[in-house]
């Protein structure tokens, strides 16, 4: 009978965020597939655990993934962990989950720390609809194509970025979405120097041009806002009232009908039409 792949999120800065269920799973599995075994060893030492580990990182997902899958299919339970946060989210894991799913091995995803959700919740920007864009491509052409694909995007957009690339990314985001677009820069989440700066892309680009950023960042960019609906036009209402009056309707009936047709407040239109009538020679 097949074993199970457990996706175990680890803290993104604060060790207190490792859940009892995550710790219990690390204690219970047969082995751990870790992005960096040295980082995970520190976590295991903190928990007082000893566990066999294999490394599973970006450049060996194919070969090592197959070996991990075979062990799971042979009946072993495996916990997949990355250096910080939720596996398979801008981290190794996606291919292994797919391989397990295709081979019929159960996958259990344990909820826990994830930088993008932590940032979104604290951003103060709309959370109802959002799109996670991960890291923008480094290649100029692919990067521009990615930004072009977000033109007119109305949902809140989330980006991961390394500090040394942040100034260039902020410049590109400003050029793509305009300097006035609101952004929340969520830095060092859950850590001692956690900071959430709510500003605009223009101001953020200028600030980090002059002040080299430090620490880890999630950028939360507001989506494009639909233009406000046009205010109902009282002038058009009065013209319609006049036309209906010419057809023989009373002032009250003409105002009621014109208001209904044009989506205006009936009483306001009636009072305005009354004023017009009084001004007539
Ligand atoms: N799998 C992880 C998760 O669930 O969030 C993300 C891993 S990705 C390789 C690393 C990126 O996540 C960083 O470059 C940064 O953009 C973001 N990140 C991770 N920890 C963070 C923190 N404490 N504060 C802000 N951003 C963080």
């Amino acid at each position: 009978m097949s074993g199970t792949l457990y996706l175990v999120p680890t803290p993104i800065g604060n060790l207190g965020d490792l859940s009892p269920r995550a710790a219990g799973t690390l204690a219970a599995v047969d082995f751990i597939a870790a992005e960096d075994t040295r980082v995970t060893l520190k976590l295991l030492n903190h928990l007082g655990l000893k566990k066999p580990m294999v490394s599973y990182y970006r450049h060996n997902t194919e070969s090592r993934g197959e070996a991990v899958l075979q062990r799971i299919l042979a009946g072993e339970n495996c916990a997949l962990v990355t250096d910080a946060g939720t596996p398979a989210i801008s981290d190794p894991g996606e291919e292994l989950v797919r391989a397990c799913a295709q081979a019929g091995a159960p996958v259990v995803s344990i909820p826990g720390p994830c930088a993008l959700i932590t940032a979104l919740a604290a951003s103060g920007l709309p959370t109802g609809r959002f799109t996670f864009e991960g890291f923008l491509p480094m290649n100029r052409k692919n990067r521009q194509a990615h930004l072009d694909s977000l033109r007119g995007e109305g949902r809140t957009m989330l980006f991961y970025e390394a500090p040394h690339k942040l100034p260039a990314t902020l410049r590109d985001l400003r050029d793509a979405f305009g300097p006035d677009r609101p952004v929340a820069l969520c830095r060092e989440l859950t850590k001692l120097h956690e900071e959430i700066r709510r500003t605009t892309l223009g101001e953020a680009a200028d600030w980090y041009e002059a002040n080299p950023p430090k620490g880890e960042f999630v950028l939360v960019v507001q989506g494009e806002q639909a233009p406000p609906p046009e205010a109902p036009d009282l002038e058009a209402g009065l013209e319609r009232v006049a036309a209906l009056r010419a057809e023989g309707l009373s002032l009250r009936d003409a105002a009621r009908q014109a208001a209904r047709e044009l989506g205006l407040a009936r009483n306001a239109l009636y009072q305005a039409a009354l004023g017009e009538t009084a001004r007539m020679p």
Side-chain angles (χ1 to χ4, degrees):
M1 195 181 127
S2 164
T4 295
L5 174 68
Y6 293 91
L7 305 174
V8 180
T10 54
I12 57 170
N14 187 326
L15 273 178
D17 293 334
L18 187 87
S19 76
R21 187 177 173 208
T25 304
L26 292 176
V29 291
D30 298 300
F31 72 105
I32 295 173
E35 182 182 14
D36 184 334
T37 52
R38 290 161 305 180
V39 173
T40 302
L41 186 62
K42 284 190 197 141
L43 182 68
L44 293 181
N45 287 341
H46 168 76
L47 295 171
L49 294 175
K50 276 195 182 1
K51 204 51 75 172
M53 279 198 277
V54 297
S55 74
Y56 177 80
Y57 60 97
R58 201 150 60 95
H59 297 295
N60 76 354
T61 53
E62 214 172 294
S63 56
R64 187 53 58 79
E66 182 55 32
V68 170
L69 174 66
Q70 290 311 322
R71 286 181 70 172
I72 293 172
L73 289 175
E76 288 188 85
N77 290 320
C78 170
L80 177 65
V81 297
T82 58
D83 292 352
T86 300
I89 304 299
S90 286
D91 259 347
E94 180 183 323
E95 294 89 348
L96 186 56
V97 170
R98 193 160 36 246
C100 285
Q102 279 166 2
V107 177
V108 173
S109 178
I110 296 177
C114 182
L116 83 103
I117 295 298
T118 310
L120 175 67
S123 67
L125 294 172
T127 59
R129 298 187 69 200
F130 64 91
T131 164
F132 174 53
E133 300 299 320
F135 292 93
L136 281 174
M138 296 278 287
N139 169 287
R140 198 74 229 153
K141 199 164 144 243
N142 296 346
R143 192 176 177 88
Q144 196 51 53
H146 192 137
L147 289 169
D148 287 346
S149 76
L150 292 172
R151 225 167 268 286
E153 175 58 67
R155 294 171 292 180
T156 299
M157 295 169 276
L158 289 108
F159 301 88
Y160 280 168
E161 194 47 285
H164 63 286
K165 295 186 201 142
L166 188 79
T169 293
L170 283 172
R171 279 198 302 274
D172 289 345
L173 291 173
R174 175 200 61 199
D175 294 348
F177 304 121
D180 299 329
R181 183 68 69 90
V183 60
L185 298 112
C186 304
R187 187 174 83 90
E188 294 286 85
L189 292 166
T190 78
K191 300 183 194 176
L192 186 62
H193 298 294
E194 171 171 314
E195 176 191 48
I196 297 168
R197 189 184 283 257
R198 300 179 184 86
T199 177
T200 60
L201 284 173
E203 280 174 5
D206 290 348
W207 172 265
Y208 285 111
E209 198 73 62
N211 303 278
K214 286 199 195 104
E216 301 199 86
F217 284 83
V218 181
L219 307 177
V220 190
V221 180
Q222 185 169 310
E224 188 168 300
Q225 303 294 287
E230 280 187 19
D233 185 349
L234 202 60
E235 279 304 307
L238 290 171
E239 275 173 30
R240 183 67 185 135
V241 169
L244 290 167
R245 293 270 285 146
E247 288 173 20
L249 264 67
S250 71
L251 182 64
R252 190 174 291 279
D253 287 346
R256 181 181 296 126
Q257 183 170 328
R260 196 172 47 237
E261 286 175 6
L262 299 173
L264 294 165
R266 191 179 66 187
N267 204 33
L269 183 57
Y270 176 68
Q271 293 301 333
L274 210 56
E276 283 286 288
T277 313
R279 274 200 297 278
M280 274 186 195

